[in-house]
């Protein structure tokens, strides 16, 4: 069965969509079968992966309302993952679901029919705490909380954690918080670092390392319909998401070579001792050794044939 990860934060502009697209591409690089689910009526994930939401006839809207099975709606993407796309119709889906019994379980039931076909399912939740986000959390095994490293993102994390606690109590007791993923991080500022430390201590939640650095490359990628792993694969942001994907998949990272300590230099009989070299009292200076004018020669130093 697939592991389902919901990526959620009620605050917008914190890189939820970017994180889903990038983690999905990174997991595909590791050879995993990945399904991405766009639960945002703005359909930013759908657009970012090269599909035009305005031209799609079928979407996750039809799946949540039980009109179609998920397998018919799923589309492939250039980055290797599959996508359950969204359209603006999803905005009306929330109102319809409110009048239905068991509305929180619509996505979980739909994914249950195709879960065996994938290793991972990543759900891009909308920037709200409504029925669609509750569906994403109810279907998930874990939740990742992207957080822009600024003060206003603080409140969004706390409110989402309250919602997660309600979901754990009422609809999905197996849900756990994987951690907070710092995004749009600027390590040059004390403010970014202080926000991360404060969130970790205030909410007692794990901070996922490394943070994702702010970069214009993230803004450029959606215009090409690809993730940053394709458009700027060697950037720090792409490497950060690869690291997180390896952790999620349980794949060890590349070994880091530790340079060996240099061996102490031996002063042999043919060694040239410079003018500023201190020669200790027990140092043997050979016949071909040049001893400079500023060389300190101790009282017990044997000098053979050297000009002093």
């Amino acid at each position: 069965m697939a592991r389902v990860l919901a990526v959620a934060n009620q605050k917008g502009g914190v890189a939820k969509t970017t994180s889903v697209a990038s983690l999905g591409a990174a997991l595909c690089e590791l050879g995993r079968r990945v399904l991405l689910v766009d639960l945002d009526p703005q359909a930013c994930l759908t657009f970012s992966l090269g599909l035009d939401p305005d031209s799609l006839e079928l979407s996750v809207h039809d799946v949540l309302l039980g009109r179609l099975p998920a397998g018919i709606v799923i589309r492939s993407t250039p980055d290797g993952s599959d996508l359950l796309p969204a359209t603006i119709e999803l905005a009306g889906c929330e109102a319809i679901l409110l009048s239905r019994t068991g509305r929180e379980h619509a996505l979980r039931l739909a994914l249950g029919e195709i879960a065996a076909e994938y290793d991972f399912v990543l759900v891009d939740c909308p920037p709200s705490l409504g029925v669609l986000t509750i569906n994403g959390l109810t279907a998930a095994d874990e939740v990742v909380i992207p957080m822009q490293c600024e003060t206003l993102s603080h409140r969004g994390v706390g409110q989402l954690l309250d919602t997660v606690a309600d979901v754990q109590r009422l609809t999905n007791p197996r849900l756990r918080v994987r951690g907070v993923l710092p995004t749009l991080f600027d390590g040059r500022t004390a403010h970014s670092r202080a926000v991360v430390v404060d969130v970790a201590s205030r909410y007692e939640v794990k901070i996922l390392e490394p943070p994702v650095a702010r970069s214009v490359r993230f803004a450029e990628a959606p215009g090409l319909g690809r993730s940053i792993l394709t458009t700027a694969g060697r950037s720090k942001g792409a490497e950060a998401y690869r690291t997180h994907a390896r952790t999620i998949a349980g794949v060890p990272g590349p070994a880091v070579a530790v340079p060996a300590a240099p061996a102490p230099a031996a002063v042999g009989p043919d060694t040239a001792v410079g003018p500023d070299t201190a020669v200790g009292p027990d140092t043997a200076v050979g016949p071909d050794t040049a001893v400079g004018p500023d060389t300190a020669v101790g009282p017990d130093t044997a000098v053979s044939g050297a000009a002093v």
Side-chain angles (χ1 to χ4, degrees):
M1 296 293 289
R3 281 175 58 194
V4 182
L5 280 77
V7 180
N9 191 328
Q10 74 168 61
K11 188 179 184 303
V14 298
K16 289 189 300 296
T17 297
T18 295
S19 296
V20 170
S22 302
L23 286 173
L27 287 168
C28 285
E29 286 185 351
L30 296 174
R32 303 305 193 266
R33 300 169 300 167
V34 181
L35 172 66
L36 309 181
V37 180
D38 192 351
L39 276 189
D40 190 347
Q42 299 178 72
C44 291
L45 178 62
T46 301
F47 177 82
S48 297
L49 295 179
L51 299 178
D52 181 7
D54 296 330
S55 65
L56 293 175
E57 296 182 1
L58 306 177
S59 72
V60 69
H61 168 80
D62 302 291
V63 175
L64 293 177
L65 296 183
R67 297 173 181 173
L68 294 171
I72 294 179
V73 181
I74 288 173
R75 304 285 295 270
S76 60
T77 70
D79 280 348
S81 60
D82 286 346
L83 172 68
L84 199 52
T87 65
I88 191 61
E89 288 184 336
L90 195 55
C93 179
E94 195 158 15
I96 298 173
L97 285 174
L98 283 172
S99 63
R100 295 196 173 184
T101 304
R103 54 187 172 270
E104 300 91 350
H105 300 274
L107 180 62
R108 180 182 64 81
L109 294 174
L111 293 178
E113 301 175 1
I114 57 172
E117 301 175 20
Y118 297 97
D119 299 308
F120 292 95
V121 177
L122 305 181
V123 182
D124 183 18
C125 296
S128 69
L129 296 179
V131 173
L132 294 176
T133 296
I134 299 299
N135 261 267
L137 295 177
T138 300
D141 300 302
E142 299 175 292
V143 57
V144 175
I145 308 173
M147 182 195 69
Q148 184 180 6
C149 298
E150 295 181 359
T151 301
L152 292 179
S153 292
H154 235 282
R155 298 184 68 248
V157 172
Q159 292 166 346
L160 178 61
L161 290 175
D162 290 340
T163 300
V164 168
D166 290 339
V167 169
Q168 291 171 328
R169 181 169 53 90
L170 298 172
T171 64
N172 184 8
R174 74 181 187 281
L175 178 65
R176 73 180 187 91
V177 178
R178 184 171 186 85
V180 171
L181 175 60
T183 60
L184 303 168
F185 182 77
D186 188 349
R188 300 170 298 178
T189 66
H191 178 68
S192 289
R193 298 191 298 271
V195 167
V196 172
V197 171
D198 189 39
V199 167
S201 60
R202 184 185 300 264
Y203 302 114
E204 297 182 350
V205 65
K206 180 180 179 181
I207 301 299
L208 303 177
E209 297 285 348
V212 181
R214 183 188 298 271
S215 172
V216 70
R217 301 301 183 191
F218 287 113
E220 296 170 348
L224 301 174
R226 305 296 294 271
S227 73
I228 191 174
L229 274 75
T230 299
T231 60
R234 296 184 178 180
S235 63
K236 290 183 178 179
E239 288 302 325
Y241 279 115
R242 286 191 177 101
T243 299
H244 289 295
R246 287 194 296 268
T247 302
I248 291 171
V251 176
V256 178
V258 179
V267 182
D270 299 324
T271 303
V273 182
D276 299 322
T277 303
V279 181
D282 299 323
T283 303
V285 182
D288 299 324
T289 303
V291 181
D294 299 325
T295 302
V297 181
D300 299 326
T301 303
V303 181
S304 176
V308 180

